[in-house]
Amino acid sequence: MTDPQPAGPPLPAGPLRDPFVTRNSRRYKLIITGIFAGAVILLSTLTLAAVISLWNSDDPFGGKRNVILMVSDGLGPAGVTMARNFLDYLEGIGGAKGMLELDTLLVGASRTRSADSLITDSAAGATAFACGIKTYNGAIAVDVDKKPCATVLEAAKDAGYLTGMVVTSRITHATPACFAAHVASRASENAIALQEIGQTPLGLTTDLLFGGGSCQFQPNASATSCRSDNIDAFSVARGNGYAVLTPDIRDDFDNLEPSHAKLPLINLFAPDHMDFEIDRNPKVQPSLAEMTQKALDILSHSSKKNDKPGFFLMVEGSRIDMAAHNNDPATHARETLAYNEAIKAVKSFVDRNPQTVVISVSDHETGGLSIGRQNDPTKYPAYLWKPAVLAGVQRSLEVLALELANWSGGSPSKKRDYVEKHVIPVILNVTDASEEEVDGVATAKSPALTLSKLSDIVSPRAHIGWTTHGHSAVDVNLYAYGYRSEKLRGNHENTDIGQFLIETLGVQTNIEKLGKKLRKEMTMDEVEIRGSVGKARNQISHYHDST
């Protein structure tokens, strides 16, 4: 048996404590506590900095930015009201319930004067949007000294964005020209066509072009050309890398798959301006909404696939203006509704892409349109207007005027018979025309005069008034939706909108750099009128080709 060990001194109650271990444990705890406290302070500081940065940042989401400028050429506040009331009538909406998609985006108004007139033209108005500067009427992205100004589209391309333009006019018309060309006079459409496809010191700047105006891209020898030279601009475009889709028909457009579309591309659907919505054959020409949706899909897919920072797209409802120049209320209302459909498509895109903003604005008002007209100054005015009159009109007054002014159906008596029994009661749906009104239309010697006589049959019966076949100085509505749109609330000069586009894309430095390059390498002497617009083949050019 083992002897028991002698008893030692009694053990202290509780756990054993080594003095060395105890001192180091305390030091360890202090170190850990200090590190933890420091981390908390650092994390709090970083979090606060991030919150402040996000609060002040114009781009809290990071990533891609898309800017879509929509121009409702010639649409004033009265035109919006007329279209809304007209749509309410068509849809049977009573009371005050109806609204356009545009109405949901209203944020303010834009002042429209140019550098040399209280009443602007489209060229000076679009230059304000494109360059953020005031210039003289007729100027295409040049300043008052006829020196080129770099545009937001050109700067966006330089910064890596994709770019596009969608219009219902000739693609060389004043508004689109101001984003991708520089000429002293808007009449230089032959030169504008070449610049839009990359024949400038900046090279190719527009990735996508949808609209009308194929005549400007065909050599003079072609039957459908409106060039004064034999340059085949479509061939030039191909040489610059463009995919040129078959012009004057929509077949290639319909077969264009957005996810596989090759940029740059150009598709023009008419020799001149595209048809008014009231006259459009949907099998031949796409609507503004269809072109806009296709452009959005192509630019969005390509931007993501090619790791671009986003895109800039300019969309114009060009022919609202032309309907107003013609004092044609039925066509004007339908053009505005077609534009409203494009707004719907863009608003839906913005909802799905939070770093996107759409701005909708007019360059000016056209026609001095009034809703309400006193037809008999000797009587107390009637407080009414009649959308039903517009609903009965089946074709644009422009198409009718061209047909009648170029009458080839026989004798003057046959023409009068056609006017009395078909044009007025069937196409215009007016059954109470006077003999004087019939004679006025039947004997008019020019398209412009015929147009005026036709308008004088429709407009008074609808109680719609016009003060001019030109533009007016009225402020126009300003609409915006999406990223940074709150910054456009209120009444703005049109140049403020141009500056907003530049700031939102972050391309101010690019604007300055490209402006210097253009002013150094491009003079207006080189691009001064090389053949003007040429003869308009399908439209009355008396008013709107110079305004």
Side-chain angles (χ1 to χ4, degrees), residues 293-306:
Q293 186 63 65
K294 184 83 78 171
L296 289 171
D297 291 343
I298 290 171
L299 293 173
S300 180
H301 278 291
S302 187
S303 175
K304 294 171 183 175
K305 183 167 63 176
N306 297 300

Side-chain angles (χ1 to χ4, degrees), residues 151-166:
T151 74
V152 63
L153 182 147
E154 293 167 336
K157 181 66 175 177
D158 187 63
Y161 292 89
L162 293 175
T163 61
M165 295 195 291
V166 174

Side-chain angles (χ1 to χ4, degrees), residues 68 70 166-168 208 210 253 286-299 311 313-317 338-339 341-347 349:
I68 305 160
M70 300 187 70
V166 174
V167 301
T168 51
L208 181 147
F210 287 160
F253 175 85
S287 67
L288 180 63
E290 288 178 297
M291 292 191 293
T292 301
Q293 186 63 65
K294 184 83 78 171
L296 289 171
D297 291 343
I298 290 171
L299 293 173
F311 64 80
L313 175 65
M314 192 283 291
V315 177
E316 184 189 34
Y339 181 82
E341 288 301 307
I343 287 285
K344 286 182 183 179
V346 172
K347 185 180 178 185
F349 181 87

Side-chain angles (χ1 to χ4, degrees), residues 58-139:
D58 285 333
D59 189 11
F61 298 102
K64 297 184 184 299
R65 294 186 203 179
N66 306 311
V67 174
I68 305 160
L69 172 65
M70 300 187 70
V71 181
S72 48
D73 198 323
L75 180 63
V80 176
T81 303
M82 183 171 73
R84 184 193 310 119
N85 294 163
F86 181 62
L87 183 62
D88 288 351
Y89 174 82
L90 295 178
E91 296 185 345
I93 298 175
K97 299 178 182 178
M99 288 184 73
L100 298 176
E101 201 71 30
L102 265 176
D103 293 324
T104 68
L105 312 183
L106 183 66
V107 295
S110 171
R111 306 187 294 276
T112 63
R113 66 172 298 165
S114 67
D116 63 346
S117 177
L118 289 171
I119 299 180
T120 190
D121 82 325
S122 292
T127 297
F129 301 150
C131 296
I133 65 167
K134 293 283 188 182
T135 191
Y136 60 90
N137 286 353

Side-chain angles (χ1 to χ4, degrees), residues 34 287 372 431 529:
S287 67
T431 58
I529 303 180

Side-chain angles (χ1 to χ4, degrees), residues 363-406:
D363 45 0
H364 53 76
E365 192 273 347
T366 302
L369 172 66
S370 65
I371 307 174
R373 171 172 178 156
Q374 187 168 354
N375 292 323
D376 186 346
T378 67
K379 296 181 180 179
Y380 191 80
Y383 295 158
L384 55 84
W385 90 272
K386 301 178 179 179
V389 174
L390 309 190
V393 178
Q394 298 177 19
R395 295 168 69 188
S396 70
L397 301 187
E398 180 172 277
V399 165
L400 289 174
L402 285 166
E403 177 190 356
L404 293 172
N406 300 304

Side-chain angles (χ1 to χ4, degrees), residues 80-337:
V80 176
T81 303
M82 183 171 73
R84 184 193 310 119
N85 294 163
F86 181 62
L87 183 62
D88 288 351
Y89 174 82
L90 295 178
E91 296 185 345
I93 298 175
K97 299 178 182 178
M99 288 184 73
L100 298 176
E101 201 71 30
L102 265 176
D103 293 324
T104 68
L105 312 183
L106 183 66
V107 295
S110 171
R111 306 187 294 276
T112 63
R113 66 172 298 165
S114 67
D116 63 346
S117 177
L118 289 171
I119 299 180
T120 190
D121 82 325
S122 292
T127 297
F129 301 150
C131 296
I133 65 167
K134 293 283 188 182
T135 191
Y136 60 90
N137 286 353
I140 300 294
V142 298
D143 64 19
V144 292
D145 297 318
K146 298 186 179 180
K147 296 184 183 300
C149 57
T151 74
V152 63
L153 182 147
E154 293 167 336
K157 181 66 175 177
D158 187 63
Y161 292 89
L162 293 175
T163 61
M165 295 195 291
V166 174
V167 301
T168 51
S169 66
R170 294 186 298 270
I171 198 69
T172 53
H173 211 235
T175 300
C178 286
F179 288 86
H182 307 270
V183 293
S185 169
R186 58 181 291 169
S188 305
E189 291 195 46
N190 287 181
I192 290 167
L194 294 173
Q195 291 189 35
E196 286 181 336
I197 55 175
Q199 300 298 97
T200 78
L202 305 183
L204 191 156
T205 58
T206 310
D207 294 299
L208 181 147
L209 294 160
F210 287 160
S214 64
C215 72
Q216 293 289 342
F217 294 80
Q218 299 176 31
N220 182 261
S222 170
T224 55
S225 173
C226 52
R227 293 194 66 84
S228 61
D229 54 37
N230 277 313
I231 295 175
D232 184 342
F234 279 137
S235 292
V236 175
R238 292 186 185 94
N240 288 344
Y242 276 91
V244 179
L245 279 60
T246 306
D248 307 336
I249 196 165
R250 65 176 293 165
D251 293 7
D252 287 351
F253 175 85
D254 290 333
N255 294 325
L256 192 61
E257 175 55 47
S259 60
H260 297 99
K262 177 181 176 294
L263 293 176
L265 70 85
I266 179 170
N267 201 176
L268 305 181
F269 302 97
D272 207 284
H273 303 306
M274 295 179 70
D275 291 341
F276 284 120
E277 185 64 20
I278 195 173
D279 303 317
R280 182 176 66 88
N281 181 347
K283 294 181 180 179
V284 177
Q285 296 181 6
S287 67
L288 180 63
E290 288 178 297
M291 292 191 293
T292 301
Q293 186 63 65
K294 184 83 78 171
L296 289 171
D297 291 343
I298 290 171
L299 293 173
S300 180
H301 278 291
S302 187
S303 175
K304 294 171 183 175
K305 183 167 63 176
N306 297 300
D307 196 27
K308 298 291 185 179
F311 64 80
F312 171 77
L313 175 65
M314 192 283 291
V315 177
E316 184 189 34
S318 319
R319 304 216 68 196
I320 301 171
D321 169 70
M322 299 174 195
H325 276 294
N326 294 341
N327 289 181
D328 182 350
T331 299
H332 187 288
R334 287 173 173 84
E335 286 298 304
T336 305
L337 293 183

